[in-house]
Amino acid sequence: MYFKQILDERNGCASYLIASRQSHEAAIVDPSIVTDQYDALLQERNFTLRYVFDTHVHADHVSGARRLAAQHGATLCLHESAMVRYSFRGLRDGEELTLGQLRLRIWHTPGHRPEMISILVINPPRSPEPSMVLTGDSLLVGDVGRPDFGGGDAAMQYESLSRLLRLPDWVAVFPGHFEGPCGKGMCGRPSTTIGFERLYNPLARLDREPFLASLVSSVPARPLNITAIEATNRGLVDLPWAMLTLNESVEEVDVDALEARSPDAVVLDVREPEEYAHGHVPGAISLPQADVATRISEIPRDRPVFAICQAGMRSLRVAQFLKQMGYENVVSVRGGTEAWRRLGKPITVEDANIAQHRIAESDWTHAGVLSYSI
Ligand SMILES: [Fe+2]
């Protein structure tokens, strides 16, 4: 067999090429939108692409699966429950696909997303047992996938994790991420083993109730442009530009500069609506980072833009994205709302009901998707 893990440093994603050296048939799992790298590898190795898998509908990066499958005449595979607006082969739990002598056994491992699959790789000349499992975002190294990305379920995640951890110790684990927003505490290694995770993954050691409590507590903010990226991967829209791909340098200014801004400046608070409601810079407009791409028309191009978040990380990425989109006069506020508050500057607190209303409004994609089925 041939096996290669391809790491995308920018997004913290891992994709995989698996092939039979006997039949020269190949499969690619969770390809990034930069598909040239797979084309080159397939050509160099004289492999024919048979299958392209997305382990789930990604929400943090635009998938290259459809493009690759179309270019190579390969079969696009997702779990049968995937709600997308394009045709694909719907996989069932326990089903096996073959690549020459290799067998790819599909397990449905929902939790991070309802349609999540894991792929067990079996190479019968070597062993009748799986030697590796590609876990997508179900089991990550030192972590599991977050269940709050739309349709996820912590209880299902617990069942899926328990099932995966019943595999033999020696099974090598190759996840869909080594860093990035899909988990909260990934170790950073790009692979692990079932035995190691069973012993040392902090979530694997928890009983059901503490596990559920741990997954639903302190949920991090939704990632940059998740709304546009998820809708693109479902085939509802085509917004591949919603991914941050350039390393634009952005000026960071302190809160005094924010206070001394010109009257026409726009202050963009990119935190979640509930964070905004709990206190924001007076006059700041709420536009969560998750929705920047889908609401970009609301951000004026001819006025200075100050992006602000809680501590300055999210706003920096939003400002980079706006620069990527051609905004010239955009800065990020260093230290964010926390620094503003610490210096005793005025804070506006919203009514909690208004915040709830805004959450519902900003959730347009999920609402649209749920009303649509194939
Ligand atoms: Fe994910």
Side-chain angles (χ1 to χ4, degrees), residues 55-61 112-113 116 136-138 140 145-146 149 176-177 181-183:
T55 55
H56 59 296
V57 176
H58 299 285
D60 62 306
H61 65 280
H112 173 65
R113 302 285 304 212
M116 174 72 72
D137 296 358
S138 53
L140 302 166
R146 289 167 53 180
F149 272 16
H177 278 280
C182 286

Side-chain angles (χ1 to χ4, degrees), residues 1 8 17 47 99 118 140 164 185 226 235 243 281 287 318 354:
M1 74 176 289
D8 181 341
L17 193 153
F47 290 147
L99 281 179
S118 294
L140 302 166
L164 286 164
I226 183 175
M243 274 180 73
V281 171
L287 204 172
V318 167
I354 295 173

Side-chain angles (χ1 to χ4, degrees), residues 264-284:
D264 67 331
V266 176
V267 183
L268 214 57
D269 190 320
V270 301
R271 297 174 299 163
E272 294 293 336
E274 57 272 33
E275 295 176 273
Y276 175 84
H278 284 139
H280 59 83
V281 171

Side-chain angles (χ1 to χ4, degrees), residues 79-92:
H79 186 256
E80 59 181 351
S81 66
M83 290 170 68
V84 296
R85 191 178 278 173
Y86 45 83
S87 57
F88 63 97
R89 173 169 171 174
L91 302 172
R92 297 203 173 133

